[in-house]
Amino acid sequence: TDMASDDHYCQFDAVALTRVGSTCGVGPICRKDGTATLTYYLFWAAIDSATNNHYLYRVSGGTLTQIGSTDTTDFVAGEVMRVEADADQITAKINGTASVGPVTDGIISGNLRGGIRAYQSGSDTITIDNVRIADLAVGAAGIASEDDAFEDDSVVPWIMRQRS
């Protein structure tokens, strides 16, 4: 579902990210449009044989371009990952604290959706919980949390559709 504006965020609790194969990763995305085109901002936690880092990317037509510096803080099970776009300021946060950014990048605008990107190989495991996608503006439309979604009987939220 579209947010009210392209100034929004996506966040979730990254419960577990366990690499068994060559590499695995997960991250929230924002400023995605409603098509199959892979264009959005992505905050990515990746574990491979050499690194365990966090990155902020601009993904345009499927091509990843890193924006900002690499955060070499190791992924920790249970961290809250968040990516937000506010005008041309893109920020990645871990547990409410800026990890990368804000970075000035206004290339992707107008896209009104958020979501999740994940990659695993072999027996890797990725577990997330408490997904939130909402506008940054005070009083804007959107479900603030999973709990709020279940209190509003007029809305069938994304998370509820996934549980059936």
Side-chain angles (χ1 to χ4, degrees):
T1 304
D2 289 344
M3 295 291 100
S5 79
D6 67 357
D7 294 334
H8 60 264
Y9 70 90
C10 176
Q11 78 176 35
F12 56 74
D13 299 348
V15 176
L17 182 60
T18 307
R19 181 184 69 85
V20 177
S22 60
T23 187
C24 68
V26 67
I29 66 173
C30 68
R31 288 205 179 152
K32 169 76 179 85
D33 68 5
T35 71
T37 302
L38 299 178
T39 298
Y40 46 81
Y41 290 105
L42 164 68
F43 181 38
W44 188 245
I47 301 175
D48 61 32
S49 60
T51 62
N52 177 354
N53 296 322
H54 295 81
Y55 307 90
L56 182 58
Y57 289 108
R58 176 187 344 103
V59 182
S60 296
T63 301
L64 280 76
T65 302
Q66 185 175 350
I67 58 175
S69 301
T70 301
D71 179 346
T72 58
T73 304
D74 285 351
F75 170 83
V76 176
E79 69 187 28
V80 178
M81 296 182 66
R82 174 176 171 137
V83 63
E84 63 185 43
D86 189 3
D88 64 355
Q89 299 298 297
I90 314 303
T91 306
K93 296 181 178 181
I94 300 173
N95 299 325
T97 302
S99 168
V100 181
V103 176
T104 302
D105 189 295
I107 292 176
I108 301 172
S109 63
N111 296 348
L112 302 177
R113 296 182 179 202
I116 303 158
R117 179 174 175 154
Y119 175 80
Q120 68 177 44
S121 61
S123 299
D124 299 341
T125 59
I126 299 169
T127 307
I128 64 169
D129 198 7
N130 299 319
V131 177
R132 294 173 199 87
I133 304 168
D135 289 289
L136 292 173
V138 175
I143 299 167
S145 73
E146 182 178 347
D147 292 335
D148 290 344
F150 292 113
E151 292 174 6
D152 185 352
D153 294 332
S154 67
V155 176
V156 179
W158 173 86
I159 194 84
M160 190 174 192
R161 289 193 305 257
Q162 298 302 313
R163 289 183 173 172
S164 52

